[in-house]
Amino acid sequence: MTETQHAHHGTRGKPSVALFVTCLADLLRPSVGEASLRLLRHARTAVSVPPQQTCCGQPAYNSGDYDAVRPLAKQVIAMLEYADYVVLPSGSCAGMICEHYPRLLEGEWRDRALQLAAKTYELTTFLVEVAGLEIQAQAPGSGPTVAYHDSCAGLRELDIREQPRKLLRELCGADIRELQQRDVCCGFGGTFCAKMPEISAKMADDKLNDVLATGAPILTGGDLGCLLSLAGRARRLDMDIEVRHVAELLVGDTDGPAIGEGD
Amino acid sequence: MESTSDRFLLNASEALRDTPRAQRRDVMAAFTPLIRNAAVEGFAAFEATRQHVKRVRQHSLDNLAFYLGQFEHEAVQNGMRVHFARDAGEMNSTVLDICQQHGARRVAKGKSMVTEETGLNDFLQDAGLTVRETDLGEYIIQEAGETPSHIVGPALHKSADEIRDLFLQKHDLGERELAATGDMVDEARQVLRRQFLDAEVGIIGSNALIAENGYSMLVTNEGNGDLCANLPPVLVICTTIDRVLPRAEDAAAMLRLLVRSATGQAQTCYTSYYSGPRRAQDPDGPLETHIVLLDNGRSDILEGDYREMLECIRCGACLNHCPIYSSVGGHAYGWVYPGPMGSVLTPLLTSLEASAALPNACTACGRCAEVCPADIPLPDLLRDLRAQESEQRIDAARWRLGLRMHAWLARQPRLYRALTSLAMTLLHRLGHRRGAFRRLPLASGWTGQRDFPVPQGKTFMQRYRQRQREH
């Protein structure tokens, strides 16, 4: 049975989607999970949230503790493989499953990792390329003016570039202001930002200055790690930048405090 | 060369505070990718050539002993003398022996990172020889008593003003302004011309050794390599065993990647093939040609998990595209090779323990691997080195244990949920008004430079379950 055929055997004919909200969204920014859930339902999929989910294991993996991550990777695979699709509102966590789980595991587990990788998507890619989200296009410029930060893992491992921009334009009529250095890292890098904070801060400053130069009041992107780090640095420097995850903007959730802002 | 890689973070911190240099690095970081991209986009076969050269390099390394043997045989046929050096000391003393056999006192040298690796200049100078670097960048830093900050542009860290002051101070040439960059270049040319003519030995590096004909290939933009090779009576080529390629056309293919990736040119001004000493019918050229092939740990790398690193063609593109290299500059890395390629090579060629910070100087952004003409998965190699640090317990214990604990906790969903829910509720209560913490226990790595955004309250999983129960 091909994957597409299989996809139509979910609940009430809709493809089943397992939403992995990622640990950062789960703990620090649940509104990103809520927004992802709404978007996936809007895209006519049967979404479920596996209750066993925690973290994909990137922190230890990137620090080189492969042994500690292998059992976690297997647990994640076993937890998610029931669904037709797996969707994560993060390029780097989706990249972890698609690119790095197969590299980490061997034998039968590697095969299972590859099978899971084949049906795992970052949220905006899934909405645009798989779900074919029906969009009643908004008038250009009728929505917010935003700067978009391309997170590195999504950009280079999963080729996420146009998908979020297309959604922002068509779904919320956003005016997207491009950064001068679109493909340069913001300095987050997971534990890097805490292991080498001065270098990380310099890189964040470059990115934030690039954002300020666009004149866009809102900075958005698809990876909470980068956004938390940039919002934290912007707060420290009293920069007036409102930071929100792309999923939040796509559902129009802009009333609550932005990342790092008070009630 | 002495290593200060163990002080990477301190070096980096100093470099970040050196505002004029940091600003120049920012300019270079914006500029160099543009010229590289333009050159690569103008060469439709770049990706195909990249994959072709990768296969050739892999094949050459798989059969390294064979091709080295072939190269040696052909080079000897051409009249070259071939020396193998196991380590830095052997290369240095081989070169000194050659100089002493000829009673040489003056050496003119072309750019060579390999001799930086072995500290050849100091070694020869300690033995009483005068060694003059003739690549403009190398010349500048030699005059300034500094080390290269970049493998292609060794003096990229210096401003025109610094170089002007240096020349005015070092060159006894009377009153002059050196207002334009061209004036400085002319002056260096004038000073160096004498050095080429006086030298008894010329030393250059090599970009490729061609097994089928025993030639050594070198690219330069200044022509100083040819002057070092052809004016002094004795030529010594210093390079490493991993430079060997089977055929001349392989070197040509590699060249098409190397130059575009390095300087954004389609070709350098000079591409030279050194075939051996002057023959009876030749009007000029060296009387004697030596080639010294350094191993210095490369055979071990070849046998290990990092052998892809030997496919590096030393273009410097990974440096030019690395946001960490451009933030802190080459000197912060503390040894010969900086940036992503250096962060892999330095631990392999020196010691992982003494350079443990370097593999961590990476956000895994992947830009280096994206542009690497040799298609080396640098972020993967760096992560594997971090894995080795973890295995050998030379990383910081608090990080290792903390992350291991986190990975373990992530496998106990109930416990994870209980603890994280509690922690998020607490953090939310403490900080929701302000929205971000300026300080947080156990998170000084984060809060030293940035605020920590306060969690929204209940976790997503709590909210989701609650809603499910309500339905």
Side-chain angles (χ1 to χ4, degrees):
Chain A
M1 196 188 294
T2 70
E3 199 175 303
T4 351
Q5 283 169 333
H6 186 65
H8 295 289
H9 286 254
T11 328
R12 283 167 260 142
K14 296 175 185 172
S16 69
V17 169
L19 173 64
F20 190 171
V21 293
T22 77
C23 62
L24 291 180
D26 176 27
L27 305 187
L28 298 174
R29 195 77 186 165
S31 54
V32 173
E34 310 272 4
S36 305
L37 207 51
R38 280 174 61 189
L39 286 163
L40 288 167
R41 285 182 178 144
H42 182 61
R44 311 185 61 76
T45 62
V47 199
S48 52
V49 179
Q52 303 290 307
Q53 62 181 280
T54 56
C55 166
C56 68
Q58 266 192 94
Y61 177 74
N62 286 331
S63 289
D65 196 345
Y66 300 158
D67 290 342
V69 186
R70 273 189 201 97
L72 177 58
K74 290 176 186 172
Q75 202 165 308
V76 172
I77 293 169
M79 169 184 85
L80 296 172
E81 57 193 353
Y82 73 89
D84 296 330
Y85 297 102
V86 174
V87 175
L88 305 92
S90 155
S92 77
C93 306
M96 179 71 184
I97 293 178
C98 294
E99 289 280 314
H100 299 283
Y101 278 8
R103 189 170 292 164
L104 197 57
L105 300 169
E106 286 173 351
E108 180 220 344
W109 278 104
R110 183 163 185 278
D111 295 340
R112 288 170 74 173
L114 285 168
Q115 279 162 19
L116 185 70
K119 59 182 180 181
T120 296
Y121 292 88
E122 178 274 339
L123 176 69
T124 63
T125 310
F126 180 80
L127 293 174
V128 171
E129 294 177 5
V130 183
L133 189 65
E134 278 175 37
I135 295 169
Q136 288 188 314
Q138 300 294 307
S142 60
T145 301
V146 302
Y148 193 86
H149 168 55
D150 294 281
S151 292
C152 297
L155 187 65
R156 299 201 174 81
E157 290 177 349
L158 304 174
D159 208 18
I160 302 168
R161 193 178 282 265
E162 288 312 311
Q163 304 89 322
R165 290 177 170 81
K166 179 180 159 70
L167 291 174
L168 281 166
R169 270 191 212 103
E170 297 182 0
L171 213 55
C172 34
D175 175 10
I176 301 169
R177 304 276 171 88
E178 296 297 351
L179 303 179
Q180 288 284 314
Q181 300 281 326
R182 272 173 64 165
D183 56 355
V184 177
C185 175
C186 70
F188 169 59
T191 53
F192 172 84
C193 75
K195 283 180 178 170
M196 302 200 170
E198 276 187 273
I199 305 173
S200 171
K202 190 270 180 194
M203 291 162 69
D205 293 353
D206 289 348
K207 189 59 71 182
L208 291 168
N209 285 322
D210 204 345
V211 172
L212 286 179
T214 66
I218 299 175
L219 167 65
T220 189
D223 268 86
L224 260 183
C226 307
L227 299 177
L228 290 161
S229 143
L230 288 169
R233 183 66 185 170
R235 281 283 331 236
R236 179 63 54 95
L237 299 177
D238 280 327
M239 282 179 170
D240 193 14
I241 300 174
E242 186 181 328
V243 185
R244 294 181 189 276
H245 190 277
V246 65
E248 297 173 309
L249 292 184
L250 291 176
V251 297
D253 176 14
T254 52
D255 294 336
I259 299 172
E261 280 182 10
D263 292 344
Chain B
M1 185 172 147
E2 288 278 318
S3 170
T4 64
S5 300
D6 58 335
R7 295 201 297 272
F8 175 76
L9 282 179
L10 286 172
N11 297 343
S13 184
E14 276 170 32
L16 287 167
R17 281 196 297 270
D18 186 346
T19 314
R21 285 195 174 176
Q23 283 171 346
R24 281 202 304 282
R25 288 194 293 268
D26 286 344
V27 172
M28 289 305 295
F31 172 70
T32 47
L34 294 179
I35 58 171
R36 179 262 172 203
N37 287 348
V40 168
E41 277 162 22
F43 176 38
F46 185 87
E47 189 52 39
T49 309
R50 187 191 195 195
Q51 295 312 320
H52 168 70
V53 170
K54 174 136 188 114
R55 285 192 296 273
V56 171
R57 294 281 284 160
Q58 279 170 342
H59 170 81
S60 314
L61 292 169
D62 287 344
N63 301 281
L64 186 59
F66 172 80
Y67 285 116
L68 277 176
Q70 191 188 9
F71 173 80
E72 182 184 16
H73 177 78
E74 294 298 327
V76 168
Q77 290 287 306
N78 297 339
M80 284 214 208
R81 300 188 197 185
V82 182
H83 312 260
F84 287 89
R86 263 172 303 185
D87 54 24
E90 275 193 20
M91 172 173 265
N92 292 347
S93 51
T94 303
V95 177
L96 179 61
D97 283 349
I98 297 166
C99 293
Q100 285 174 339
Q101 277 160 24
H102 292 273
R105 306 209 40 79
R106 282 158 302 207
V107 174
K109 220 166 139 271
K111 199 172 101 50
S112 152
M113 295 311 290
V114 173
T115 59
E116 295 283 348
E117 185 181 323
T118 66
L120 179 66
N121 287 13
D122 285 346
F123 185 81
L124 295 180
Q125 280 163 346
D126 288 347
L129 282 90
T130 305
V131 182
R132 172 50 73 199
E133 292 288 351
T134 65
D135 169 89
L136 181 57
E138 285 283 348
Y139 173 71
I140 291 165
I141 58 167
Q142 189 186 27
E143 286 290 55
E146 295 173 6
T147 55
S149 60
H150 189 289
I151 61 169
V152 174
L156 278 175
H157 59 284
K158 298 195 83 71
S159 69
D161 289 339
E162 286 176 79
I163 296 166
R164 180 179 302 108
D165 292 345
L166 181 73
F167 281 10
L168 290 173
Q169 181 205 332
K170 292 274 177 176
H171 299 156
D172 192 13
L173 291 170
E175 278 297 306
R176 65 216 189 280
E177 283 191 6
L178 297 181
T181 318
D183 299 338
M184 292 183 248
V185 176
D186 286 344
E187 179 161 313
R189 179 183 282 128
Q190 184 190 338
V191 172
L192 282 170
R193 192 53 51 123
R194 187 79 253 149
Q195 315 277 347
F196 288 121
L197 293 168
D198 287 348
E200 294 106 351
V201 172
I203 297 176
I204 59 171
S206 171
N207 294 100
L209 304 171
I210 301 163
E212 69 175 358
N213 58 19
Y215 292 5
S216 171
M217 182 183 80
L218 183 71
V219 292
T220 71
N221 270 321
E222 299 165 24
N224 64 306
D226 286 343
L227 295 179
C228 287
N230 290 307
L231 293 177
V234 179
L235 167 64
V236 184
I237 299 170
C238 290
T239 188
T240 52
I241 54 170
D242 50 332
R243 295 296 109 197
V244 72
L245 289 170
R247 302 164 301 182
E249 65 189 78
D250 301 326
M254 188 265 274
L255 202 57
R256 306 182 84 182
L257 302 174
L258 171 67
V259 183
R260 287 179 173 86
S261 303
T263 57
Q265 296 164 287
Q267 251 194 323
T268 43
C269 300
Y270 300 88
T271 302
S272 306
Y273 295 85
Y274 301 104
S275 59
R278 177 194 305 190
R279 294 162 303 180
Q281 69 273 30
D282 292 338
D284 49 26
L287 297 170
E288 209 173 288
T289 304
H290 296 261
I291 182 152
V292 190
L293 299 172
L294 177 70
D295 186 317
N296 210 27
R298 285 165 178 80
S299 294
D300 296 335
I301 299 177
L302 187 68
E303 298 304 317
D305 296 332
Y306 301 93
R307 90 182 273 171
E308 270 177 291
M309 200 54 226
L310 296 180
E311 292 164 20
C312 172
I313 61 174
R314 304 290 192 270
C315 69
C318 63
L319 281 60
N320 298 340
H321 289 77
C322 175
I324 291 150
Y325 173 86
S326 45
S327 294
V328 303
H331 288 146
Y333 291 79
W335 197 55
V336 181
Y337 306 105
M341 57 83 78
S343 298
V344 179
L345 271 180
T346 306
L348 296 178
L349 294 175
T350 63
S351 111
L352 181 59
E353 197 163 3
S355 56
L358 301 190
N360 291 282
C362 169
T363 61
C365 80
R367 208 172 171 218
C368 52
E370 186 175 59
V371 298
C372 174
D375 199 19
I376 300 170
L378 290 156
D380 292 337
L381 298 185
L382 289 167
R383 197 185 48 247
D384 287 347
L385 283 166
R386 298 198 285 277
Q388 214 174 311
E389 290 181 15
S390 175
E391 277 165 29
Q392 296 174 13
R393 303 276 184 272
I394 51 181
D395 55 345
R398 64 195 166 88
W399 277 108
R400 185 175 59 248
L401 298 175
L403 291 168
R404 177 154 280 212
M405 179 91 89
H406 175 262
W408 176 84
L409 186 61
R411 285 164 52 210
Q412 331 296 326
R414 293 174 71 102
L415 180 61
Y416 176 92
R417 212 150 302 301
L419 290 175
T420 53
S421 303
L422 197 67
M424 296 310 126
T425 304
L426 181 69
L427 288 174
H428 177 75
R429 277 196 195 146
L430 287 171
H432 68 98
R433 281 206 184 84
R434 191 172 177 275
F437 295 105
R438 291 193 79 87
R439 227 174 277 160
L440 209 56
L442 302 174
S444 62
W446 179 288
T447 56
Q449 297 286 342
R450 40 169 68 86
D451 288 4
F452 186 85
V454 173
Q456 284 172 319
K458 285 206 170 75
T459 67
F460 175 82
M461 294 308 283
Q462 279 178 303
R463 295 174 190 209
Y464 184 75
R465 280 188 171 188
Q466 198 171 355
R467 254 202 322 265
Q468 278 201 316
R469 274 198 295 271
E470 284 164 9
H471 280 296

